[in-house]
């Protein structure tokens, strides 16, 4: 799995490519959790190139999102494949996330919220 | 907080793993900081070895013996550090005595599943043929226990307000006509929540969802040539794990989350979940059965054995779980507590529950400790406990199951008496009067009340409602046993033609008989239970024992909903009527007197003449009047409700009891009338033209409401 981050107008885009599972979740956690402990951070988790997310992976995403919202930040998802979307629905994880089709639409939603505030 | 026990103290013999002594409780595999705590009980083991596999691999990736200092009492426990616990499976080798005569069957060559496994692999996708060369068929897995329930909790719906709907997870949506995205799964049930709400039921009772092996005793039917499977699933592999093959995400190992999400969504929609639990035996069968877990871990603890060391067979399935052994008792309690607290399950229905009251020699006990523990358990304190109060060893305890004010029963006598009444047998009025009142003859002792009676006319075991009015005899040929399996006592009547027919008169009568059944069930005191699919006349073509039929025989055919919309409407209005009228939902039995000073007793009996019943054996006509002022013991006010039943083949005039002045009889339901005049929306009943008498058609039920005219 590959993880890249880019910053754009105060929003951090984390792109996960490959599978987010037991083998890769620790590496991902090391990247994501520091961001999740920055107050007021806005993160787009770009999963457009992520083919599979395991239980541990879903838990990492949920934990990061909860941690961020607890300190005034926000994390949204983008580019979920239909399969990943489906698994998230069946396991209830979709209830906890705002999800967007792609990075630009996630970005515009996040920046609109910011401007509004 | 820093803890000093976060660090390993030992290396495994192979040098690959860091270890330390574990905690003996809880049993099973528990994720702890830095590793996994394994704990397993065996009183007779001389040694125990943890066996680890990469998910799905046949060969172990490691074997780690429990060191001597890792055993405390009869429990082997250790923490293994740095495990990729999402991708491993584990089991145990247990060495100990093999002496069948003494009841010991240890075999250190067998890989044994953890009795406390919270997830079990090996049958991840329903019906996918297993690799029989694999020595470890049912593979314990480690699962997360951090599901986010948000503000959900068990609903605690008062038992008298429940309308239970019995369904099989797979059969409910497996048919192509179900229209769901993931047929035959927990997710499929979620997609049918809107339907359940439209019907109006507020509790779904799921046939076994603990991990079982659909391939147990699988075979090709000599009659149909089709594969016969262990479809119903009354044969547990593991008690703590949801059936992976019932989850669309089972192939990804996410069945736990999918099952919990289903329960959370059902709760959000006001629907409780009751699990059908099978603690009477396991899938290990008799002396010739496979080693899965229990027999290799501690045979004598887990099973009832004859003095010669053979398995007692009170379950009819090869072995009998030793339920009143203290270890097994604890396991059952741990299991139910786990499902109640970790899965937010609202209640349990215990299959062949009488076995749970047998002692270690198989003799029925007066005050069985297990049943008492369950009745008084703090965590199960608000759970519904429902017994199937008999077993295959001849114990029949309907009405006498040890209850401590907590246990309800599947009322088999309700089913039998109401069926006989509906088909028109003579001499039924006395019994039927008891059944309609919540069987005080069975349940008035020790104040058990009307809701000790779970009333049902049909259940998974036996004919569907449609088949009950379409077949005189069972037709189980497809089961491959020359139609010798299944009950012969069906109390059914085919309305003149055996099976499917084009005869409109017969089909019309069948619809009417099904409406009669729905009407009686939903005006009876006690807790009603409906078999899924009966509300639109689902058929099993006369098969009354479809335990092995994973095909159209068992799968609910949703096309019938469109075809039988009239029957569905009747059921849903009857359920709505029950919900609208507290006088139908009393927790206590009637007192047969007027303790509210209303001028009417809480219940009064009538016949063709008001206040006068012909109780003679040839009479098949009876009516009752419920006084609304006595609803729920007089604590709430309701309308008066009059129910007249004519199960004779000739129509008859029923004189109506007089209402207090200002009150008028309105018709809510008349099963003899063609739709849409057969039933009205509660609150929109039509005023009756003749207030003095009602002409009931043959084999029909009429329900009237006495209320002020608008």
């Amino acid at each position: 799995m590959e993880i890249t981050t880019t910053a754009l107008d105060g929003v951090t885009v984390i792109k996960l490519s490959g599978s987010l599972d037991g083998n890769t979740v620790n590496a991902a956690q090391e990247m994501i959790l520091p961001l999740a402990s920055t107050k007021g951070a806005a993160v787009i988790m770009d999963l457009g190139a992520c083919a599979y997310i395991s239980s541990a992976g879903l838990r990492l995403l949920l934990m990061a999102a909860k941690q961020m919202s607890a300190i005034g930040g926000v994390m949204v998802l983008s580019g979920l494949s239909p399969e990943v979307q489906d698994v998230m629905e069946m396991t209830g994880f979709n209830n906890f996330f705002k999800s967007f089709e792609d990075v630009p639409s996630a970005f515009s939603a996040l920046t609109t919220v910011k401007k509004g505030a | 907080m820093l803890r000093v026990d976060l660090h390993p103290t030992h290396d495994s013999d192979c040098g690959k793993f860091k270890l330390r002594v574990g905690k003996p409780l809880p049993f099973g595999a528990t994720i702890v900081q830095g590793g996994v705590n394994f704990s397993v009980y065996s009183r007779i083991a001389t040694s125990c070895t943890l066996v680890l596999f990469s998910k799905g691999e046949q060969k172990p990736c490691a074997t780690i013996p429990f060191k001597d200092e890792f055993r405390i009492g009869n429990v082997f426990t250790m923490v293994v550090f740095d495990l990729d616990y999402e991708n491993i499976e584990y089991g145990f080798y247990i060495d100990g005595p093999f002496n069948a005569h003494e009841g010991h069957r240890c075999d250190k060559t067998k890989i044994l599943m953890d009795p406390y496994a919270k997830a079990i692999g090996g049958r991840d996708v329903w019906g996918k043929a297993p690799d029989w060369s694999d020595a470890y068929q049912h593979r314990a897995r480690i699962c997360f226990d951090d599901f986010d329930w948000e503000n959900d909790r068990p609903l605690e719906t008062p038992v008298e307000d429940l309308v239970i709907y019995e369904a099989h997870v797979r059969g409910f949506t497996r048919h192509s006509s179900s229209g769901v995205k993931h047929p035959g799964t927990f997710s499929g049930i979620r997609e049918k929540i809107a339907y359940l709400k439209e019907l109006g039921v507020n509790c779904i009772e799921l046939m076994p969802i603990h991990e079982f092996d659909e391939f147990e005793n699988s075979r090709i039917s000599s009659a149909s040539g089709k594969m016969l499977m262990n479809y119903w699933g009354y044969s547990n592999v593991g008690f703590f794990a949801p059936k992976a093959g019932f989850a669309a995400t089972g192939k990804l190992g996410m069945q736990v989350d999918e099952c919990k999400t289903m329960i959370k969504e059902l709760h959000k929609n006001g629907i409780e979940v009751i699990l059908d639990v099978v603690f009477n035996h396991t899938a290990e069968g008799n002396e010739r059965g496979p080693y899965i877990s229990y027999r290799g871990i501690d045979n004598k603890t887990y099973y009832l054995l004859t003095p010669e060391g053979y398995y007692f067979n009170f379950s009819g399935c090869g072995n009998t779980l030793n339920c009143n052994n203290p270890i097994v008792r604890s396991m059952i309690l741990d299991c139910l507590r786990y499902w109640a607290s970790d899965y937010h399950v609202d209640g349990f229905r215990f299959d062949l529950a009488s076995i749970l009251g047998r002692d270690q020699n198989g003799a029925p006990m007066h005050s069985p400790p297990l049943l008492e523990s369950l009745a008084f358990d703090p965590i199960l304190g608000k759970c519904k406990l429902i017994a199937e109060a008999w077993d295959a060893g001849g114990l029949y305890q309907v009405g006498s199951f040890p209850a401590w004010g907590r246990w309800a029963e599947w009322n088999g006598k309700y089913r039998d008496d109401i069926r006989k009444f509906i088909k028109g047998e003579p001499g039924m009025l006395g019994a039927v009067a008891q059944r309609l009142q919540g069987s005080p003859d069975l349940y008035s002792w020790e104040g058990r009340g009307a809701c000790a009676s779970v009333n049902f006319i049909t259940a998974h075991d036996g004919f569907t409602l449609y088949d009950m009015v379409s077949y005189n005899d069972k037709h189980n040929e497809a089961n491959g046993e020359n139609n010798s399996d299944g009950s012969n006592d069906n109390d059914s009547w085919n309305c003149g033609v055996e099976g499917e027919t084009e005869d409109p008169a017969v089909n019309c009568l069948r619809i009417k008989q099904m409406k009669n059944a729905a009407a009686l069930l939903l005006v009876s005191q006690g807790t009603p239970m409906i078999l899924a699919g009966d509300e639109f006349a689902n058929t099993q073509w006369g098969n009354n024992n479809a335990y092995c039929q994973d095909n159209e025989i068992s799968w609910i055919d949703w096309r019938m909903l469109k075809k039988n919309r009239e029957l569905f409407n009747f059921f849903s209005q009857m359920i709505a009527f029950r919900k609208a009228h507290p006088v139908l939902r009393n927790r206590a039995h009637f007192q047969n007197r007027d303790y509210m000073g209303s001028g009417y007793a809480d219940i009064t009996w009538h016949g063709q003449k008001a206040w006068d019943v012909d109780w003679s054996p040839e009479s098949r006509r009876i009516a009752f009047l419920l006084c609304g002022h006595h609803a729920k013991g007089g604590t709430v006010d309701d309308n008066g409700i009059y129910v007249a039943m004519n199960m004779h083949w000739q129509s008859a005039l029923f004189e109506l009891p007089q209402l207090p002045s200002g009150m008028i009889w309105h018709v809510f339901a008349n099963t003899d009338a063609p739709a849409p005049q057969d039933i009205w929306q509660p609150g929109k009943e039509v005023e009756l033209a003749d207030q003095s008498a009602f002409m009931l058609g043959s084999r029909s039920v009429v329900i009237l409401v006495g209320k002020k005219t608008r």
Side-chain angles (χ1 to χ4, degrees):
Chain A
M1 190 190 63
E2 223 177 292
I3 308 171
T4 57
T5 64
T6 48
L8 190 62
D9 270 356
V11 176
T12 306
V13 181
I14 304 179
K15 182 174 169 131
L16 301 176
S17 314
S19 286
L20 181 58
D21 57 22
N23 291 320
T24 57
V25 76
N26 285 340
Q29 185 170 337
E30 275 172 31
M31 294 284 287
I32 294 167
L33 286 192
L35 283 166
S37 49
T38 310
K39 273 190 184 167
V43 169
I44 297 170
M45 197 63 70
D46 177 8
L47 301 168
C50 190
Y52 171 67
I53 308 182
S54 76
S55 261
L58 291 169
R59 282 176 160 76
L60 170 64
L61 296 180
L62 181 53
M63 194 174 67
K66 287 197 175 236
Q67 208 165 311
M68 291 180 77
S69 91
I71 52 171
V74 61
M75 187 182 102
V76 300
L77 309 182
S78 85
L80 297 179
S81 73
E83 292 77 28
V84 171
Q85 176 82 36
D86 202 23
V87 167
M88 287 183 70
E89 272 171 26
M90 289 188 282
T91 52
F93 282 92
N94 65 322
N95 289 328
F96 299 98
F97 297 101
K98 278 214 168 75
S99 174
F100 299 90
E101 204 168 309
D102 48 28
V103 173
S105 54
F107 184 79
S108 79
L110 280 182
T111 47
T112 311
V113 171
K114 272 202 158 176
K115 277 174 196 156
Chain B
M1 191 186 76
L2 287 174
R3 296 180 57 111
V4 294
D5 61 358
L6 289 182
H7 298 285
T9 52
H10 296 64
D11 286 311
S12 65
D13 297 341
C14 64
K16 276 193 340 204
F17 295 93
K18 302 284 187 191
L19 316 171
R20 69 174 294 124
V21 64
K23 302 251 187 240
L25 292 176
F27 291 134
T30 311
I31 298 171
V32 295
Q33 205 167 345
V36 177
N37 187 89
F38 294 93
S39 173
V40 62
Y41 157 90
S42 172
R43 194 171 43 120
I44 47 151
T46 51
S47 72
C48 179
T49 300
L50 177 69
V51 191
L52 297 176
F53 299 82
S54 290
K55 215 178 212 177
E57 296 293 322
Q58 288 208 12
K59 286 226 165 73
C61 59
T63 53
I64 310 173
F66 285 80
K67 295 177 185 294
D68 288 344
E69 58 267 42
F70 292 172
R71 179 180 58 74
I72 172 128
N74 295 327
V75 180
F76 297 87
T77 175
M78 70 176 157
V79 174
V80 183
F81 287 82
D82 299 322
L83 285 178
D84 176 9
Y85 43 76
E86 205 178 26
N87 290 313
I88 62 162
E89 291 163 334
Y90 71 99
F92 302 109
Y93 285 127
I94 284 189
D95 198 2
F98 184 99
N99 182 340
H101 192 70
E102 295 281 310
H104 301 310
R105 291 181 181 269
C106 286
D107 181 344
K108 65 180 176 186
T109 69
K110 306 285 187 190
I111 305 162
L112 304 169
M113 191 195 78
D114 181 0
Y116 278 72
K118 307 291 196 301
I120 299 171
R123 300 290 184 270
D124 300 348
V125 175
W126 176 282
K128 190 177 165 203
D131 179 351
W132 295 110
S133 70
D134 187 353
Y136 191 34
Q137 289 286 320
H138 303 285
R139 312 166 69 100
R141 285 185 187 160
I142 295 156
C143 79
F144 297 96
D145 60 356
D146 58 349
F147 184 79
D148 192 347
W149 285 97
E150 299 175 280
N151 55 4
D152 180 76
R153 63 159 197 175
L155 297 178
E156 299 180 11
T157 309
V159 63
E160 63 270 28
D161 295 342
L162 282 189
V163 180
I164 302 174
Y165 186 75
E166 192 200 26
H168 185 278
V169 173
R170 183 169 166 81
F172 191 48
T173 64
R174 177 57 187 82
H175 199 279
S176 56
S177 61
S178 75
V180 304
K181 193 170 176 187
H182 298 286
T185 65
F186 298 128
S187 290
I189 290 181
R190 244 178 97 190
E191 290 184 65
K192 287 290 184 193
I193 289 177
Y195 170 80
L196 296 175
K197 287 177 79 172
E198 189 191 354
L199 176 60
V201 295
N202 56 14
C203 175
I204 186 164
E205 180 170 314
L206 299 175
M207 288 165 66
I209 69 161
H210 293 165
E211 183 64 32
F212 62 86
D213 182 5
E214 67 270 26
F215 285 95
E216 182 185 349
N217 200 21
S218 60
R219 61 208 184 274
I220 301 293
S221 165
S222 53
S224 67
K226 286 185 182 167
M227 177 77 137
L228 302 178
M229 305 190 92
N230 171 29
Y231 166 77
W232 278 355
Y234 287 86
S235 188
N236 268 19
V237 165
F239 296 95
F240 291 79
K243 172 100 187 104
F246 281 168
T249 59
K251 58 181 183 292
L252 307 174
M254 298 189 193
Q255 60 268 28
V256 171
D257 284 338
E258 186 177 326
C259 182
K260 288 177 177 175
T261 299
M262 171 196 73
I263 294 171
K264 188 176 168 186
E265 290 296 317
L266 284 162
H267 282 175
K268 250 186 218 164
N269 289 282
I271 300 171
E272 290 203 345
V273 178
I274 289 179
L275 299 187
D276 193 339
V277 288
V278 190
F279 290 113
N280 51 72
H281 71 285
T282 76
E284 290 189 311
N286 62 12
E287 297 76 32
R288 293 182 296 279
Y291 277 77
I292 295 172
S293 169
Y294 317 92
R295 73 168 54 195
I297 289 177
D298 194 335
N299 192 51
K300 219 171 160 172
T301 290
Y302 285 106
Y303 294 112
L304 283 184
L305 301 174
T306 68
E308 299 77 29
Y310 292 104
Y311 293 93
F312 271 120
N313 185 15
F314 295 118
S315 64
C317 300
N319 63 48
T320 308
L321 204 65
N322 192 5
C323 292
N324 280 300
N325 170 289
I327 301 294
V328 183
R329 216 156 65 205
S330 298
M331 181 183 77
I332 293 173
L333 200 54
D334 288 346
C335 170
L336 296 170
R337 286 172 165 181
Y338 176 69
W339 286 96
S341 60
D342 258 59
Y343 280 80
H344 291 199
V345 158
D346 300 274
F348 302 96
R349 176 267 187 192
F350 295 75
D351 185 59
L352 301 185
S354 291
I355 285 184
L356 277 57
R358 288 184 185 269
D359 69 16
Q360 295 200 53
N361 301 313
M365 285 184 280
H366 177 62
S367 248
L370 171 59
L371 299 178
E372 187 178 25
S373 302
L374 298 180
F376 291 101
D377 187 74
I379 294 168
L380 305 177
K382 299 278 193 286
C383 276
K384 279 90 182 172
L385 302 176
I386 303 167
E388 185 186 34
W390 54 85
D391 69 21
L395 208 49
Y396 189 81
Q397 295 179 302
V398 171
S400 64
F401 195 80
W404 293 279
R406 282 282 284 130
W407 283 85
E409 297 173 10
W410 264 28
N411 188 345
K413 287 186 176 155
Y414 181 93
R415 174 197 58 205
D416 300 342
D417 290 337
I418 297 294
R419 282 184 176 203
K420 285 176 187 155
F421 182 50
I422 289 173
K423 79 184 269 217
E425 277 191 20
M428 293 311 300
L429 293 190
V432 163
Q434 294 292 328
R435 303 299 151 252
L436 294 167
Q437 298 183 75
S439 298
D441 58 335
L442 302 174
Y443 301 115
S444 63
W445 59 281
E446 281 187 352
R448 292 184 72 185
C451 289
S453 177
V454 173
N455 298 328
F456 66 103
I457 297 171
T458 53
H460 69 274
D461 196 357
F463 278 145
T464 66
L465 186 60
Y466 175 81
D467 290 356
M468 186 190 91
V469 297
S470 307
Y471 294 90
N472 286 348
D473 301 300
K474 65 183 183 185
H475 295 271
N476 298 351
E477 290 78 6
N479 297 352
E481 294 176 47
N482 300 318
N483 204 28
S484 64
D485 62 311
S487 175
N488 293 318
D489 305 321
N490 296 298
D491 299 314
S492 63
W493 176 50
N494 65 17
C495 296
V497 179
E498 187 76 353
E500 296 295 308
T501 174
E502 298 292 316
D503 186 331
V506 171
N507 284 323
C508 199
L509 179 54
R510 286 176 178 173
I511 291 281
K512 186 160 69 164
Q513 290 284 64
M514 288 189 275
K515 288 179 183 173
N516 288 339
L520 296 186
L521 180 64
L522 288 155
V523 299
S524 292
Q525 304 292 322
T527 306
M529 184 178 83
I530 297 164
L531 173 65
D534 276 357
E535 70 276 21
F536 49 81
N538 186 59
T539 182
Q540 294 181 167
W541 295 281
N543 191 319
N544 76 351
N545 188 32
Y547 72 100
C548 54
Q549 301 292 344
D550 180 34
N551 53 48
E552 286 77 7
I553 291 177
S554 302
W555 301 342
I556 289 176
D557 183 348
W558 291 85
R559 290 173 301 186
M560 302 300 280
L561 172 59
K562 224 175 222 173
K563 188 178 163 203
N564 294 310
R565 200 76 207 179
E566 174 188 339
L567 185 62
F568 173 84
N569 180 60
F570 193 90
F571 264 90
S572 62
Q573 298 302 351
M574 277 308 309
I575 293 170
F577 186 72
R578 183 175 181 85
K579 287 181 172 171
H581 291 289
V583 76
L584 297 172
R585 294 179 278 117
N586 292 296
R587 180 171 285 212
H589 284 118
F590 295 117
Q591 298 178 26
N592 298 296
R593 63 190 181 95
D594 174 17
Y595 55 87
M596 295 299 291
S598 64
Y600 296 81
D602 46 7
I603 184 167
T604 48
W605 294 96
H606 310 270
Q608 286 183 259
K609 288 184 190 158
W611 310 99
D612 186 7
V613 185
D614 173 6
W615 295 102
S616 69
E618 285 311 310
S619 168
R620 295 168 176 87
R621 296 179 180 122
I622 193 168
F624 64 83
L625 171 64
L626 303 180
C627 168
H629 298 297
H630 290 83
K632 298 223 171 195
T635 57
V636 291
D637 210 19
D638 196 356
N639 303 130
I641 290 176
Y642 171 82
V643 180
M645 294 152 271
N646 175 27
M647 292 302 130
H648 198 278
W649 46 94
Q650 288 175 337
S651 51
L653 191 69
F654 279 60
E655 183 193 359
L656 299 179
Q658 200 174 352
L659 284 168
S661 69
M663 305 293 262
I664 302 283
W665 285 122
H666 294 69
V667 185
F668 167 65
N670 178 4
T671 63
D672 194 52
Q677 273 86 41
D678 57 338
I679 197 158
W680 307 89
Q681 268 182 32
K684 296 189 176 167
E685 298 86 355
V686 291
E687 199 175 308
L688 186 60
D690 179 357
Q691 290 283 310
S692 65
F694 197 109
M695 177 61 86
L696 263 79
S698 62
R699 303 184 193 275
S700 64
V701 175
V702 164
I703 302 172
L704 306 181
V705 180
K707 59 181 183 179
K708 290 196 178 102
T709 188
R710 278 169 206 267

